[in-house]
Amino acid sequence: MDKKIVKKKWTLKRIATYGGIAVFVLFIGYQFIFADRRSRVKVEKDKITISTVQRGVFQEFIPQTGTVEPSRTVYLDAVEGGTIKRVVAESGAMLKAGDVILELSNLNTELSVLGQEAQLSESINRNRDTRLGITRNDLEQRQTLALIDNMLAILGPQYTREKQLFEKKLISRQAFEKTEADYKYNLERRRITYEVYRADSVDRIRQLREIKIAEQRMSQNLEGVGKILDNLVIRAPIDGQLSRPQLDPGQNITPGQRLGQVDILGSYKVRVPIDELYLPRIMTGLKATTSFNNKDYALEITYVYPGVTAGRFEVDMHFTGETPAGIRRGQSLRLRIELGQSSEQLLLPVGGFYKDTGGNWVFVLDGEDQAVRRDIKLGRKNTENYEVLEGLKPGDRVITSSYENFGDNEVLLLN
């Protein structure tokens, strides 16, 4: 007897078919809901620069180039014009203070000086004659007073004796009256002479004082006139090395013309031009460093020039310790001028990424095979590092080379 076979509803084939469809639907749903849909690009790892974020000392500084100059320079300017008579010292010569560098000749100046000296000498001689006359008058008045006193010394006792004799009728009235008249005349004469002498003495003191002052002034003028000729001889004002342009005998020199300079050797400063943007932050006392022959040297700003020319101002810096051996005037030095106190910060090395991101985001490595975009915030910058304010932590590895070829992708696949 035949038996009816009932067909199974859930066969293995059907279960496998529906199971496959379910798995496919779940996969599609997962892709829509949970899968990473960020844009990606493949990057060759050996063509990028990877830097590590770490804590360190941050020092804000600006790189500048300065020029080596002697710490002290005295310029030689012609006070008097003339023609070069003789050149004594050549450029580069080592000089002592007072050494003759060159001599000028100026006939008009020499004749003028001789005329002024003659006039001053004549005026001084006239003053001396006047003083001598005043002194002679004083002596004459004293002699007159002495003579009158001598007469009174004789007539006084004689007058007393004859008065007594006249009262006793022992001498004639005529003889007594003559003695009396002579005595009283000399008394009155002394009184008048003394008053004149006393008045003249006050005026004489004033005249002598004025004559003395006038003589001092004329002597000073005479000395100054003599120095005019000294100005025709150019001498070294200090010990040092001479630097001057080409000067030849017979060449005409005008007053005020620069004839060269004398530099003190062995002591140097560095003249540094700086962009006016930094003017509010630059002051005396700021430190700087420079490298010379693979050795670092410390400097300090000692003077800030007040003027600004073509958007730049200048400062003078002196070495605070050892001065580099072998530096020369006019040599250029690369300096790092510190703008503030150093502090410990989170540091990110400087790189080409900044021009593409403005420092607002970077690619941070996530494992060894990819890097993801992350928003950050940077602060101050020096030539080596950025100060990290937000978004990174010590140990993070950041791509610091240029992002120019990464486009708008958010994930980099490294291979």
Side-chain angles (χ1 to χ4, degrees):
M1 178 176 175
D2 294 333
K3 187 178 179 179
K4 187 177 180 180
I5 299 175
V6 179
K7 189 176 181 181
K8 294 181 179 180
K9 185 176 182 180
W10 295 102
T11 64
L12 183 60
K13 182 178 180 181
R14 179 174 288 185
I15 290 172
T17 300
Y18 282 109
I21 293 172
V23 170
F24 179 74
V25 171
L26 288 174
F27 175 77
I28 296 301
Y30 175 82
Q31 291 296 322
F32 275 102
I33 298 173
F34 300 104
D36 187 357
R37 295 190 297 275
R38 293 176 296 180
S39 57
R40 303 164 183 266
V41 65
K42 291 183 179 181
V43 176
E44 295 183 22
K45 197 171 184 178
D46 59 354
K47 293 185 177 180
I48 61 175
T49 301
I50 300 174
S51 303
T52 302
V53 177
Q54 56 186 355
R55 286 201 168 274
V57 176
F58 181 84
Q59 176 63 66
E60 189 177 8
F61 60 84
I62 55 174
Q64 298 292 327
T65 300
T67 303
V68 176
E69 297 181 356
S71 61
R72 184 185 176 196
T73 296
V74 179
Y75 295 100
L76 305 173
D77 295 335
V79 178
E80 297 290 334
T83 302
I84 295 179
K85 179 180 179 181
R86 185 167 66 103
V87 178
V88 179
E90 298 297 332
S91 183
M94 300 301 300
L95 303 175
K96 295 291 185 181
D99 287 351
V100 176
I101 298 173
L102 59 87
E103 296 178 1
L104 301 178
S105 174
N106 189 323
L107 183 59
N108 291 333
T109 300
E110 293 171 6
L111 291 175
S112 175
V113 167
L114 291 175
Q116 293 180 57
E117 286 179 339
Q119 292 177 359
L120 288 170
S121 297
E122 185 179 352
S123 297
I124 291 173
N125 289 333
R126 282 200 301 267
N127 266 22
R128 289 174 179 173
D129 289 342
T130 302
R131 183 175 59 188
L132 183 61
I134 293 173
T135 303
R136 186 182 295 112
N137 182 58
D138 176 65
L139 291 175
E140 289 175 353
Q141 288 180 324
R142 289 184 182 185
Q143 288 175 352
T144 301
L145 284 172
L147 181 61
I148 294 173
D149 287 339
N150 182 63
M151 291 295 296
L152 288 174
I154 297 173
L155 292 173
Q158 182 180 351
Y159 169 73
T160 302
R161 288 193 302 270
E162 289 187 3
K163 183 178 181 181
Q164 294 174 354
L165 293 173
F166 175 73
E167 290 175 349
K168 294 178 180 180
K169 311 260 186 216
L170 296 175
I171 61 172
S172 65
R173 177 182 293 275
Q174 183 180 2
F176 170 69
E177 288 178 348
K178 182 179 183 306
T179 300
E180 182 182 32
D182 290 341
Y183 176 66
K184 289 182 178 180
Y185 165 74
N186 280 282
L187 281 177
E188 182 65 15
R189 182 185 175 196
R190 189 189 190 287
R191 183 186 67 80
I192 295 172
T193 303
Y194 180 74
E195 287 181 357
V196 172
Y197 174 74
R198 186 173 62 179
D200 286 348
S201 295
V202 174
D203 188 57
R204 184 164 37 248
I205 293 173
R206 178 186 60 79
Q207 286 182 309
L208 290 175
R209 182 171 60 247
E210 291 176 352
I211 290 172
K212 182 179 180 180
I213 294 173
E215 282 186 5
Q216 289 175 344
R217 289 177 179 173
M218 284 186 286
S219 297
Q220 291 174 352
N221 290 338
L222 184 61
E223 184 180 352
V225 169
K227 288 182 178 179
I228 293 177
L229 294 181
D230 292 339
N231 291 332
L232 295 176
V233 180
I234 309 301
R235 301 177 183 272
I238 58 173
D239 296 351
Q241 184 178 35
L242 173 66
S243 298
R244 64 168 179 79
Q246 181 65 34
L247 298 173
D248 299 307
Q251 182 177 340
N252 187 50
I253 300 297
T254 58
Q257 181 175 338
R258 179 143 300 173
L259 303 177
Q261 63 189 58
V262 178
D263 303 322
I264 294 180
L265 296 183
S267 178
Y268 296 95
K269 65 180 179 181
V270 181
R271 180 73 60 84
V272 186
I274 303 176
D275 193 285
E276 63 180 336
L277 174 67
Y278 296 101
L279 183 57
R281 304 186 63 185
I282 296 296
M283 63 193 73
T284 57
L286 288 183
K287 308 296 183 181
T289 57
T290 186
S291 295
F292 186 80
N293 287 339
N294 300 319
K295 185 176 180 181
D296 291 337
Y297 296 90
L299 301 96
E300 180 179 285
I301 295 178
T302 55
Y303 185 75
V304 179
Y305 290 88
V308 177
T309 304
R312 302 179 76 82
F313 66 99
E314 293 184 328
V315 302
D316 280 345
M317 308 193 75
H318 284 79
F319 292 95
T320 56
E322 182 183 1
T323 300
I327 62 172
R328 295 291 183 267
R329 178 165 63 92
Q331 188 172 359
S332 296
L333 293 178
R334 291 286 297 172
L335 303 114
R336 302 199 318 173
I337 302 176
E338 301 175 1
L339 296 181
Q341 296 294 328
S342 59
S343 60
E344 185 175 341
Q345 302 291 341
L346 193 61
L347 304 179
L348 174 64
V350 169
F353 72 93
Y354 191 88
K355 70 173 184 175
D356 300 308
T357 70
N360 297 315
W361 57 272
V362 291
F363 281 109
V364 182
L365 264 66
D366 183 8
E368 295 295 331
D369 300 328
Q370 71 174 11
V372 298
R373 175 171 170 166
R374 184 187 299 179
D375 291 336
I376 64 169
K377 183 177 180 181
L378 301 180
R380 297 172 295 173
K381 172 195 174 185
N382 57 30
T383 57
E384 299 174 354
N385 296 292
Y386 290 103
E387 177 187 22
V388 179
L389 302 179
E390 296 177 5
L392 296 172
K393 62 182 183 299
D396 283 344
R397 293 186 298 165
V398 178
I399 299 176
T400 54
S401 53
S402 175
Y403 293 179
E404 183 178 3
N405 298 323
F406 298 165
D408 296 329
N409 295 286
E410 298 176 84
V411 179
L412 304 181
L413 301 178
L414 308 179
N415 54 30

